Amino acid sequence: MNIIEMIAKEFQLKETQVQQTVALIDEGNTIPFIARYRKEVTGGLSDVVLRDMDERLTYLRNLQERKEEVIRLIEEQGKLTDELRQQIEEAEVLQRVEDLYKPYKKKKATRASKAKEKGLEPLALKILEQRQETGKAEDFAAEFADAEKGVESAEDAIQGACDIIAEMISDDPELTAAIREKTRDIGVITTEAVDPEEKTVYEMYYEYSEGIDKIPNHRILAINRGEKEKKLKVKVKTDTGKMEELLCDSAITNEKSIFTELIRDTVADAYKRLIAPAAEREARNMLTERAEAEAVKVFAKNTEKLLMVPPVKGARIISIDPGYRTGCKIAVLNETGKLLAYTTVYPTEPKKDIKGTEAVLAKLADKFKINTIVIGNGTASRETEEVVADFIRKSGRDINYTIVNEAGASVYSASKLATEEYPDLDVTVRGAMSLGRRLQDPLAELVKIPTKSIGVGQYQHDINQGLLENALDNVVEDCVNRVGVELNTASPSLLAHVAGINMSIAGNIVDYREKNGSFKERKELKKVAKLGEKTFNQCAGFIRISDGKNPLDSTSVHPESYSVAEAMLYKLGIDKTELQRGGIPDIDDRIWAVYGEEEKSKQLKTRAKGLAALKELSKKNEKPKRNMKRAIEKMAADLNAGVLTLSDIVAEMKKPGRDPREDAPSVVFRNDVKSFDDLKLDMELEGTVRNVVDFGAFVDIGVKNDGLVHISQMSSKYIKHPMDVVSVGDTVKVKIINIDRDKQKIGLTMKLK
């Protein structure tokens, strides 16, 4: 199996491109580093493609190892034929390898193995030959009766032989694959209630059935949860007749044989007792794996969008963690997230001290010049929001408020990390601080929380936790390295996600910073304990030093390319200190002045229209177009640099240390609030997408519960997945199409025209 060739074909890449990329991965380079700083080698492959390729590489290598193991195990039994070896070597999926190995796999004692011990295998093989067309099966089997071996009669011999045949049929790799495929094609998932009288969230599945080939992923996960909670019974049903017919077509080779009916009965037994349970179990596993894989993708994409929400700069915040009996915890933060004050107010039941709450808010707002109030979206959120909105309206202060997702805040506030960061603060104060800081810099704060606790997906606690955590770790790593990290202010949690750096090294960086003061240049990192040359090479381009000795240290330019960047700036007549004054926005003009070539328009290149064409162009005052790609290619050749690397350097020079989060939708602030009673059908509103799932998106429109935009209400055109239209954090315009006041549910549409 040529792994490089297979990956190249699957990803539609050149084999040399794949080979070089695999070599980089095998050398221990991180995906962010390869994606950003080895574009010449990979051909500019994105981090998404690189991760998919790495995952596929791991699978194929594991597959190859398993093939070699299976071949060895069968060979040790003396049963490996050239044909079987070839079949195993040509297998492209692990399931096929296991199917081929199944007949040779050691099993616990079975009816078939016991029959073989009684010497009935020759009879089973004779029956399968189906040559006998006259006589009775019992007469033919009589010679195999042997009381000493436990075979009392011909009937016993036939039964034993049939047990052997049934196992042979169930072990046949081709039949196994055919039944598996047929089960997926015609199988039906059916569900029923364990207790039909009990009211649960699974009522729609109390009498439900749907084809395996049609059932969507979110329903699979819902059904699995209902089964796990012992609320549902789940079965896979197929057309037994069609399945037995498929098996008989293979097993019966002579319809005139005296054993034909015997084989039919054996096929029925093999399917019911041995094949169907395995096929149904595999079908359920296949559906679950498919649903989990999709759920992980959705969760990862939602998490990425949440992490990449733009920071709100200059916000002086009153952060409120709402509650009922124990009150609402307040933390006051300055623009940098430093805690200025904290207290507790009781605007909700049972105390409902609204006047006291307003007095506290007024005092804090005036004392600390507050311009923003942040409210967590958990218990008592909307009741607290009403009080805050009313306070802003009545006081006339220039303050806005917003709701933030508080998922995971309690996990963080009670964690060892939070205790180490703020040992003198109460758990509830830490939670309120975390909410405010999520607005100021979502990425820096959310990396402190176990990513699966962020809560923007579906059924995250029901799916494979290893798969989920791996995917989310990759997302966090990609986001942190895409944004970059300020070395002199970053927390250990943030530093630990920089390419090549782990939590231990991150701690060492902070320790070094505390003992020696701020880092003055990137290369000083090499003095940090356990941070060697290899780690430095991986992480250096992703860390920033805003006010260091070398202006290039504040950019995403890797130190290995400093000589190229400096040579380019020299050629263009630019002093690199310009980088510290906001960058070089006119760098394209400067490149053009040195390396530009006038590119004549297509109209000027052709003489077909003659002088008339030239006069027409003159009237339009058309100017020759710049071929910047060619100019950069010339500059790259002059500097002996890669074109892709140089293009990235040029882009960075325009706006050094540019934060990619600037392109994301900004946070929506409010200064009023609506109650559920204010809502009416056909009302048009603006809201924020809080979560995207397989069947739609949940949108915060300013009332207690988020409204649902079903996938069918997202666009007039067909869309495969809601993520094709919206992402977490998007601001969308919606119209109310359904209000269920009893269940407090709101149906929305984005199809406004």
Side-chain angles (χ1 to χ4, degrees):
M1 183 173 68
N2 188 326
I3 292 176
I4 300 297
E5 183 182 324
M6 288 182 71
I7 292 177
K9 187 176 180 181
E10 289 176 26
F11 286 80
Q12 297 182 319
L13 301 170
K14 296 176 182 176
E15 285 188 36
T16 52
Q17 189 180 5
V18 173
Q19 196 161 20
Q20 291 170 339
T21 303
V22 169
L24 287 172
I25 292 171
D26 288 344
E27 288 168 8
N29 293 294
T30 63
I31 296 300
F33 175 80
I34 296 172
R36 184 68 177 80
Y37 298 111
R38 289 296 178 264
K39 290 182 178 180
E40 259 72 38
V41 179
T42 69
L45 297 179
S46 70
D47 51 5
V48 175
V49 174
L50 286 168
R51 288 204 185 278
D52 288 345
M53 185 187 294
D54 187 27
E55 185 179 318
R56 186 63 176 149
L57 176 67
T58 301
Y59 177 87
L60 291 175
R61 284 177 169 172
N62 289 339
L63 174 62
Q64 186 61 38
E65 286 180 13
R66 183 56 178 162
K67 287 181 182 182
E68 293 168 3
E69 177 74 1
V70 165
I71 288 172
R72 181 185 66 79
L73 291 169
I74 298 175
E75 196 169 28
E76 286 176 356
Q77 297 177 34
K79 297 178 181 178
L80 184 67
T81 64
D82 291 342
E83 182 185 3
L84 180 56
R85 179 191 289 272
Q86 184 177 349
Q87 286 179 317
I88 294 172
E89 288 176 344
E90 290 177 352
E92 294 186 356
V93 294
L94 191 58
Q95 184 69 65
R96 173 66 173 167
V97 176
E98 299 303 333
D99 286 349
L100 291 166
Y101 178 49
K102 190 177 176 183
Y104 308 96
K105 198 172 185 178
K106 290 184 179 179
K107 302 181 180 76
K108 294 179 181 178
T110 63
R111 282 161 51 171
S113 65
K114 291 175 183 176
K116 287 178 182 179
E117 290 172 2
K118 295 176 182 178
L120 296 174
E121 190 169 15
L123 174 59
L125 295 175
K126 285 180 179 292
I127 292 174
L128 273 179
E129 287 175 357
Q130 301 171 57
R131 293 179 182 175
Q132 202 75 15
E133 295 184 357
T134 58
K136 293 182 178 180
E138 289 78 4
D139 296 337
F140 187 80
E143 63 179 282
F144 291 91
D146 186 341
E148 290 185 4
K149 292 182 178 180
V151 185
E152 301 292 340
S153 63
E155 286 78 7
D156 284 349
I158 290 173
Q159 181 59 56
C162 287
D163 288 339
I164 294 171
I165 293 169
E167 191 169 277
M168 290 172 68
I169 291 171
S170 71
D171 283 349
D172 186 294
E174 309 307 328
L175 290 177
T176 298
I179 289 292
R180 183 184 296 119
E181 185 176 349
K182 195 75 171 176
T183 301
R184 293 177 182 181
D185 287 344
I186 67 171
V188 175
I189 293 284
T190 66
T191 62
E192 60 181 73
V194 172
D195 179 3
E197 302 301 318
E198 185 182 6
K199 298 289 183 183
T200 71
V201 294
Y202 306 106
E203 287 180 54
M204 72 169 287
Y205 299 112
Y206 278 11
E207 288 184 34
Y208 188 81
S209 65
E210 190 166 3
I212 287 175
D213 61 339
K214 292 184 177 63
I215 190 165
N217 295 323
H218 64 273
R219 278 209 274 275
I220 289 297
L221 295 175
I223 286 169
N224 287 354
R225 179 184 283 184
E227 183 180 41
K228 185 178 179 180
E229 294 178 3
K230 295 183 169 48
K231 304 300 180 185
L232 298 175
K233 297 177 185 176
V234 186
K235 294 179 181 177
V236 175
K237 292 186 178 179
T238 59
D239 188 325
T240 302
K242 287 184 179 179
M243 294 297 192
E244 291 178 2
E245 185 181 342
L246 186 156
L247 295 171
C248 285
D249 286 345
S250 174
I252 297 174
T253 57
N254 180 7
E255 291 283 354
K256 296 180 181 179
S257 168
I258 63 173
F259 302 117
T260 298
E261 287 307 311
L262 193 62
I263 293 175
R264 286 189 189 279
D265 292 341
T266 302
V267 162
D269 172 61
Y271 179 70
K272 181 180 179 181
R273 183 169 57 87
L274 302 174
I275 300 174
E280 291 166 10
R281 186 168 57 251
E282 287 176 0
R284 290 284 311 273
N285 290 340
M286 179 273 295
L287 288 173
T288 298
E289 287 174 10
R290 186 193 77 190
E292 286 185 340
E294 181 63 27
V296 166
K297 283 183 181 179
V298 170
F299 199 99
K301 196 69 179 175
N302 283 339
T303 301
E304 178 188 10
K305 293 294 182 182
L306 191 60
L307 292 172
M308 295 300 284
V309 168
V312 175
K313 297 177 181 178
R316 296 182 65 84
I317 293 173
I318 290 176
S319 179
I320 306 176
D321 186 2
Y324 287 116
R325 184 179 56 81
T326 56
C328 298
K329 310 303 176 182
I330 285 181
V332 182
L333 309 175
N334 72 2
E335 298 92 330
T336 63
K338 181 182 178 182
L339 181 67
L340 302 177
Y342 58 90
T343 187
T344 304
V345 292
Y346 299 88
T348 58
E349 298 290 353
K351 291 189 177 181
K352 208 167 183 179
D353 180 16
I354 295 175
K355 284 188 177 181
T357 299
E358 290 178 343
V360 170
L361 292 176
K363 183 179 178 181
L364 293 175
D366 293 339
K367 182 177 180 180
F368 298 108
K369 299 178 181 177
I370 298 301
N371 54 28
T372 307
I373 297 178
V374 169
I375 305 167
N377 69 341
T379 304
S381 173
R382 294 309 181 189
E383 293 89 335
T384 304
E385 182 184 5
E386 289 177 9
V387 174
V388 167
D390 202 35
F391 160 73
I392 293 172
R393 181 182 58 79
K394 288 191 298 186
S395 71
R397 288 177 172 83
D398 186 17
I399 298 175
N400 289 322
Y401 78 86
T402 189
I403 307 294
V404 298
N405 186 342
E406 68 174 39
S410 59
V411 176
Y412 159 72
S413 60
S415 69
K416 180 182 177 183
L417 174 62
T419 303
E420 290 172 350
E421 284 186 318
Y422 308 105
D424 300 327
L425 294 181
D426 182 76
V427 170
T428 56
V429 177
R430 294 178 201 149
M433 285 177 64
S434 178
L435 297 181
R437 289 177 172 178
R438 289 185 190 197
L439 183 75
Q440 292 175 323
D441 192 342
L443 181 59
E445 192 63 25
L446 291 173
V447 294
K448 300 176 183 178
I449 298 165
T451 325
K452 65 181 181 181
S453 298
I454 292 176
V456 281
Q458 52 186 350
Y459 304 104
Q460 58 262 34
H461 300 295
D462 299 319
I463 58 183
N464 184 307
Q465 294 301 294
L467 188 69
L468 178 62
E469 287 176 16
N470 182 60
L472 295 180
D473 285 345
N474 291 341
V475 166
V476 175
E477 183 180 45
D478 288 341
C479 289
V480 169
N481 290 286
R482 203 178 305 155
V483 171
V485 170
E486 180 58 46
L487 182 59
N488 286 319
T489 58
S491 68
S493 302
L494 196 57
L495 287 166
H497 290 288
V498 174
I501 296 178
N502 56 31
M503 201 64 192
S504 174
I505 294 175
N508 292 342
I509 291 173
V510 174
D511 288 343
Y512 181 91
R513 203 167 64 195
E514 290 175 351
K515 291 175 184 176
N516 300 281
S518 298
F519 286 87
K520 298 297 184 292
E521 49 189 337
R522 278 171 168 167
K523 61 185 180 182
E524 195 179 342
L525 271 170
K526 295 179 183 179
K527 298 178 182 179
V528 172
K530 298 182 182 179
L531 201 157
E533 189 67 39
K534 186 174 182 180
T535 300
F536 176 78
N537 195 46
Q538 296 296 309
C539 73
F542 302 111
I543 59 100
R544 310 276 186 270
I545 302 177
S546 297
D547 52 356
K549 291 180 180 178
N550 189 339
L552 289 173
D553 282 349
S554 67
T555 73
S556 66
V557 178
H558 196 282
E560 67 185 5
S561 297
Y562 279 8
S563 59
V564 172
E566 288 167 347
M568 179 192 75
L569 293 172
Y570 177 77
K571 289 274 187 180
L572 301 178
I574 300 170
D575 191 311
K576 64 182 179 182
T577 56
E578 288 190 40
L579 296 174
Q580 294 172 320
R581 297 194 293 271
I584 312 160
D586 64 341
I587 194 168
D588 284 351
D589 294 335
R590 303 195 194 193
I591 292 171
W592 186 255
V594 179
Y595 295 99
E597 292 178 354
E598 297 294 344
E599 182 185 79
K600 294 181 180 180
S601 65
K602 291 181 180 179
Q603 293 97 322
L604 287 173
K605 286 181 180 178
T606 177
R607 288 295 186 188
K609 294 184 179 180
L611 188 60
L614 292 174
K615 287 181 178 178
E616 188 64 28
L617 287 171
S618 180
K619 287 180 184 177
K620 294 179 180 178
N621 195 27
E622 181 170 319
K623 295 179 180 179
K625 296 177 182 177
R626 287 181 176 182
N627 187 341
M628 288 304 299
K629 181 180 177 183
R630 175 60 186 150
I632 289 178
E633 286 173 351
K634 283 182 66 180
M635 184 166 63
D638 184 27
L639 299 174
N640 193 26
V643 174
L644 294 174
T645 297
L646 192 59
S647 297
D648 282 347
I649 293 173
V650 170
E652 186 66 11
M653 296 298 101
K654 292 177 184 177
K655 197 171 183 182
R658 177 183 175 276
D659 191 335
R661 293 176 292 180
E662 293 173 5
D663 297 333
S666 57
V667 175
V668 175
F669 289 100
R670 294 197 177 94
N671 51 31
D672 64 348
V673 66
K674 290 181 173 64
S675 71
F676 205 92
D677 293 334
D678 295 329
L679 302 182
K680 296 177 182 178
L681 290 177
D682 297 326
M683 181 182 283
E684 293 189 8
L685 301 160
E686 190 171 75
T688 303
V689 177
R690 294 297 182 194
N691 198 5
V692 183
V693 293
D694 284 346
F695 53 84
F698 290 95
V699 179
D700 177 358
I701 56 172
V703 295
K704 186 168 186 176
N705 296 335
D706 293 340
L708 172 65
V709 182
H710 190 268
I711 187 172
S712 62
Q713 294 296 327
M714 288 187 161
S715 174
S716 299
K717 299 177 182 177
Y718 169 76
I719 57 172
K720 190 174 181 180
H721 195 279
M723 282 188 175
D724 296 338
V725 179
V726 295
S727 300
V728 168
D730 284 356
T731 300
V732 294
K733 290 184 178 180
V734 294
K735 182 169 71 174
I736 299 175
I737 57 174
N738 182 51
I739 301 173
D740 187 332
R741 299 192 186 277
D742 293 332
K743 296 183 178 180
Q744 296 278 291
K745 289 185 177 181
I746 309 158
L748 305 171
T749 182
M750 290 169 56
K751 297 190 287 189
L752 303 183
K753 294 182 181 179

